[in-house]
Amino acid sequence: MSLRRATISDVAREARVSPSTASVVFSGKTPVSDATRRRVLDAAAHLGYTGPDPRAASLRRGRSGIVGVVFEEHLGTAFLDPVKTLMMDGLAEAVAPLGAGLLLLRDQNPTSAVSEPAPSLMTAPLDAAVLIGCSGVLRESLDAVRARHIPVVVIEGDAGEGVPRIELDNREAQRRAAEHVRSLGHTRVATVTLPTRAGWRRGLMSEADERTISVEVTRERLAGVRDIYPDAPAYAAAGSFIDEGLAAGRELFADPRRRPTAVIAQSDLLAAGVVRAAEEAGLRVPVDVSVTGFDGIVVDGLAPYELTTLVQPATEKGRAAGAAVAAMLAEEEADSVRFTCIFREGNTTASVPTL
Amino acid sequence: MSLRRATISDVAREARVSPSTASVVFSGKTPVSDATRRRVLDAAAHLGYTGPDPRAASLRRGRSGIVGVVFEEHLGTAFLDPVKTLMMDGLAEAVAPLGAGLLLLRDQNPTSAVSEPAPSLMTAPLDAAVLIGCSGVLRESLDAVRARHIPVVVIEGDAGEGVPRIELDNREAQRRAAEHVRSLGHTRVATVTLPTRAGWRRGLMSEADERTISVEVTRERLAGVRDIYPDAPAYAAAGSFIDEGLAAGRELFADPRRRPTAVIAQSDLLAAGVVRAAEEAGLRVPVDVSVTGFDGIVVDGLAPYELTTLVQPATEKGRAAGAAVAAMLAEEEADSVRFTCIFREGNTTASVPTL
DNA sequence: CCAGCCTACCGAATCGATTCGACCGGCGGG
DNA sequence: CCCGCCGGTCGAATCGATTCGGTAGGCTGG
């Protein structure tokens, strides 16, 4: 038909109304008589007009209906984590009523050369941004966003004042798990932590190592363990995966003389790996060794075990972030939220074996 | 400072240049003298101008730098699938050079009532769209997008002509696995399929059931098995999860008299579940029962097993989709791509046990 | 029968940046 | 010494829709 796509003015002309009226037919902001509406709709159909151009609309409105979600990791990696997945779910759900979608973003420019365009916070038409796991590097993304006066909320990370945070009672929760383990009589306990800093190796940590942990979640949960077991060996994993837990477990169970009777893992995935390692070493869970996790996710394939763990409201976290975004978009004050994890006893913990 | 955020005109005025020059300083489309550039940049810094408003830029340019990725499932569910995760990864990588980001979208309006705004294909400023697993419902999304003359590419699904598709040689690949199994002497074989249609139950399929499979991937892979084993029982899972495979395996291994000696699963996750079920039933893999998968992903926690499987280039698929999008955006013709899966023998298949 | 009001619609300004052709002075080549 | 070309800058038109103040009737109530 036409070389140029039809615009709303074309439709208006065809329907013999003013552009403003035509616009209103599509946005529904103002009442329109049925007759007029019909005329406009017919004209639109006739011209193959499929509704207002979102680009133009977003310029005029000052809203794009897009919420950016910023990760520090490789996108593919981020979704390997069930907790993040659930969060995204909650987030998606919470922003949907705003008519908003989620734009996946990474904070760094891999090729930070000026040559290539950066698909970044700066060039994307965001209404708001959600930073996930704001540690270190994300800081500058944060500044960039704030300079543009875009509402920001941070999940699991420190963001400075004025930025709502969504977080957990990591330390207290982990302490509860440790207390549970202690109440079962365990004294030889080890802990397996999440990664301590960007791109670090796995392995047992020295005291010095522990002091330089830059990932807040890891630090807090470890502190929770330390509240009860100041001297328990701590093994840092390189990621939250079953295989990482397996590697950690193998090392912890390697020496029969120094074998822990309980392992406190900082994630369910790690815990699952530890359970596997225990089986592999001929240890029965929970008879010979107790294992606790963190997250309360369903570990696919771990049945019949049910981890003793701390159930965190992952979906809720996402939802809360979405709510905060919604509030800020409505010019309201959004405040930080601190969720409480719930201790859940499964079948992977038991009293210390009597020798 | 200012009530209204500074615009590029403000900056231009402050720097005593024309708006066009100021614009060029930021876009770099045209050479600018160093002196002028400095003046503009200083003015910008002074006014707290953080770069062009993406909304305005995208209107004028006709490009938003956003590629929509449309799922048919719940967002959270989509990322439970490692293959999709990898695809997203490849996709993200391939669109990054375009300076584009990925916008997550679902096709249906859960509350299709007109009341709430729909965060949909219609209202998002997309440059292009990638539909994933285009079956049935996605069809109307497709139409919507095409009506807007937005480039579309479809991954694993039929989309009608003129729409580039990214797909696998599902049938041939699965047939290769079946042939392998046959070459090992197996005659009592069962297959575990992916879901057959939206929201279906799990269970053994009747012949009639098989004829009404609406998910193309499932249908094709099953056909591959049928090419070799026309009568093998087929069990449809309700999703690609280890636990689904486990359920399937339990049922298949329940009756010792009718036990299959080999199970061909349509995904690695399902295969992993079947392996578990075999162990549970006291069967040794691969001595007593052989299992094949599909995808070639790393199944977290399945070690020491390595599935005999068909390795599909998941990341490549995403990358190809990204490339197709890039091509179409450059007004070039993008053609469909059909990837070939590679058969990989692991340690989960062996000759049929001699009685 | 008229004041006042509500409904439905119109005009015109605006959102903020990009882009293309015109323009202008200076420099190198003929 | 003059012309042409080129790097650099400017003006003005656009991109497509939204929105707000205003107005013309039709209707109601006094």
Side-chain angles (χ1 to χ4, degrees):
Chain A
M1 289 291 184
S2 54
L3 292 170
R4 195 170 40 68
R5 277 198 61 207
T7 74
I8 204 171
S9 306
D10 299 330
V11 173
R13 198 173 318 119
E14 172 94 1
R16 318 192 137 256
V17 295
S18 77
S20 33
T21 303
S23 170
V24 148
V25 167
F26 288 100
S27 72
K29 294 271 180 190
T30 289
V32 181
S33 76
D34 287 338
T36 312
R37 182 198 321 287
R38 174 65 33 91
R39 280 224 312 289
V40 171
L41 259 20
D42 286 349
H46 183 260
L47 265 43
Y49 179 81
T50 37
D53 179 336
R55 278 178 279 263
S58 78
L59 169 57
R60 179 65 239 228
R61 287 206 157 110
R63 285 281 166 84
S64 61
I66 292 181
V67 175
V69 184
V70 186
F71 296 91
E72 23 183 15
E73 325 149 79
H74 218 227
L75 249 39
T77 317
F79 292 118
L80 250 34
D81 181 351
V83 173
K84 290 213 173 74
T85 294
L86 288 172
M87 265 179 27
M88 288 297 289
D89 225 22
L91 189 52
E93 187 182 309
V95 299
L98 298 174
L102 299 178
L103 184 66
L104 268 29
L105 257 16
R106 289 200 57 193
D107 68 326
Q108 302 187 84
N109 300 353
T111 56
S112 64
V114 201
S115 60
E116 282 308 315
S120 73
L121 307 248
M122 298 310 297
T123 62
L126 304 182
D127 285 350
V130 177
L131 306 199
I132 294 186
C134 175
S135 79
V137 205
L138 278 185
R139 265 337 238 285
E140 63 187 68
S141 303
L142 217 202
D143 296 339
V145 176
R146 298 195 68 184
R148 280 177 60 197
H149 293 103
I150 291 178
V152 191
V153 8
V154 170
I155 300 186
E156 294 286 354
D158 186 7
E161 40 192 309
V163 178
R165 322 166 46 170
I166 312 293
E167 46 179 4
L168 299 176
D169 60 336
N170 282 306
R171 179 170 187 166
E172 293 75 8
Q174 187 70 87
R175 187 193 303 148
R176 252 171 287 147
E179 276 164 354
H180 169 74
V181 169
R182 182 179 55 183
S183 77
L184 292 171
H186 295 270
T187 53
R188 290 170 57 178
V189 173
T191 185
V192 178
T193 78
L194 293 168
T196 57
R197 58 191 330 99
W200 214 51
R201 63 165 206 288
R202 73 186 67 147
L204 277 167
M205 283 188 283
S206 70
E207 230 175 284
D209 290 334
E210 283 191 30
R211 271 192 300 271
T212 62
I213 294 176
S214 70
V215 179
E216 187 173 307
V217 180
T218 308
R219 199 185 330 122
E220 290 293 301
R221 293 189 190 169
L222 180 54
V225 172
R226 289 270 167 266
D227 287 342
I228 308 296
Y229 294 108
D231 303 317
Y235 184 103
S240 183
F241 308 108
I242 295 182
D243 289 338
E244 282 293 323
L246 185 62
R250 280 180 182 148
E251 193 155 333
L252 293 174
F253 298 137
D255 182 355
R257 301 177 42 92
R258 310 187 47 187
R259 221 169 244 172
T261 61
V263 177
I264 297 175
Q266 286 192 355
S267 85
D268 285 353
L269 255 21
L270 287 172
V274 172
V275 169
R276 280 279 145 66
E279 289 177 333
E280 206 179 271
L283 300 170
R284 289 158 302 165
V285 175
V287 181
D288 299 322
V289 55
S290 290
V291 180
T292 70
F294 201 117
D295 288 341
I297 59 168
V298 176
V299 181
D300 196 14
L302 187 66
Y305 289 116
E306 281 188 25
L307 289 168
T308 292
T309 193
L310 291 147
V311 184
Q312 71 156 294
T315 310
E316 286 303 332
K317 276 193 332 192
R319 222 174 278 155
V325 163
M328 296 175 86
L329 251 20
E331 310 266 289
E332 294 162 17
E333 205 60 36
D335 21 45
S336 298
V337 182
R338 188 183 174 88
F339 285 103
T340 303
C341 300
I342 296 168
F343 179 76
R344 183 174 69 195
E345 187 164 3
N347 55 17
T348 59
T349 45
S351 296
V352 62
T354 50
L355 292 188
Chain B
M1 294 288 184
S2 54
L3 291 170
R4 196 170 38 70
R5 278 196 60 207
T7 73
I8 204 170
S9 306
D10 298 331
V11 173
R13 199 174 317 120
E14 173 94 0
R16 316 190 138 259
V17 295
S18 75
S20 31
T21 303
S23 170
V24 150
V25 167
F26 287 100
S27 71
K29 293 271 180 190
T30 289
V32 181
S33 77
D34 286 339
T36 310
R37 182 197 321 287
R38 173 65 32 91
R39 280 226 310 292
V40 171
L41 259 19
D42 287 349
H46 183 259
L47 264 42
Y49 180 79
T50 37
D53 179 336
R55 279 177 279 263
S58 78
L59 168 57
R60 179 66 239 227
R61 285 208 160 108
R63 286 279 165 83
S64 61
I66 293 180
V67 175
V69 184
V70 186
F71 295 91
E72 23 183 14
E73 325 149 79
H74 217 226
L75 249 40
T77 318
F79 292 119
L80 250 33
D81 181 351
V83 173
K84 290 214 173 75
T85 294
L86 288 172
M87 264 178 28
M88 289 297 289
D89 226 21
L91 189 52
E93 187 182 308
V95 299
L98 299 174
L102 299 178
L103 184 67
L104 268 29
L105 257 15
R106 289 200 55 194
D107 69 326
Q108 305 187 81
N109 299 353
T111 56
S112 62
V114 202
S115 59
E116 282 309 314
S120 72
L121 307 248
M122 298 309 298
T123 63
L126 304 182
D127 285 350
V130 177
L131 306 199
I132 295 184
C134 174
S135 80
V137 205
L138 279 185
R139 264 338 238 282
E140 63 187 69
S141 303
L142 217 202
D143 296 339
V145 176
R146 299 195 68 183
R148 279 177 61 197
H149 294 104
I150 291 178
V152 191
V153 8
V154 170
I155 300 185
E156 295 286 355
D158 185 8
E161 39 192 309
V163 179
R165 321 165 46 168
I166 312 292
E167 46 179 3
L168 299 176
D169 59 336
N170 281 306
R171 180 172 187 166
E172 293 75 8
Q174 187 69 89
R175 187 194 302 146
R176 251 171 288 148
E179 276 164 354
H180 169 74
V181 169
R182 182 179 56 185
S183 77
L184 292 171
H186 294 272
T187 52
R188 290 170 57 177
V189 174
T191 185
V192 179
T193 77
L194 293 168
T196 56
R197 59 193 327 102
W200 214 50
R201 62 164 207 287
R202 74 185 66 146
L204 278 167
M205 282 187 282
S206 70
E207 229 175 283
D209 290 334
E210 282 191 31
R211 271 193 299 273
T212 62
I213 295 176
S214 69
V215 179
E216 188 174 307
V217 180
T218 308
R219 201 186 326 124
E220 290 294 300
R221 293 190 190 168
L222 180 54
V225 172
R226 288 271 169 267
D227 287 341
I228 308 296
Y229 293 109
D231 304 317
Y235 184 103
S240 182
F241 308 108
I242 296 182
D243 288 337
E244 282 292 323
L246 186 61
R250 279 181 183 147
E251 193 154 333
L252 293 174
F253 298 137
D255 181 356
R257 303 178 40 93
R258 309 188 47 188
R259 221 170 245 172
T261 62
V263 177
I264 297 175
Q266 287 192 354
S267 86
D268 284 353
L269 255 21
L270 289 172
V274 172
V275 169
R276 280 280 145 66
E279 289 178 333
E280 206 179 89
L283 299 169
R284 290 158 301 167
V285 175
V287 182
D288 298 322
V289 55
S290 291
V291 180
T292 70
F294 201 118
D295 288 342
I297 59 167
V298 176
V299 180
D300 195 14
L302 187 65
Y305 289 116
E306 280 188 27
L307 288 168
T308 292
T309 193
L310 291 147
V311 184
Q312 71 156 294
T315 310
E316 286 303 332
K317 275 191 338 191
R319 222 174 278 155
V325 163
M328 296 175 86
L329 251 21
E331 309 266 290
E332 296 162 18
E333 205 61 33
D335 21 44
S336 297
V337 182
R338 188 184 173 87
F339 284 103
T340 302
C341 299
I342 296 169
F343 179 76
R344 181 173 73 194
E345 187 164 1
N347 57 15
T348 58
T349 44
S351 296
V352 61
T354 50
L355 291 189

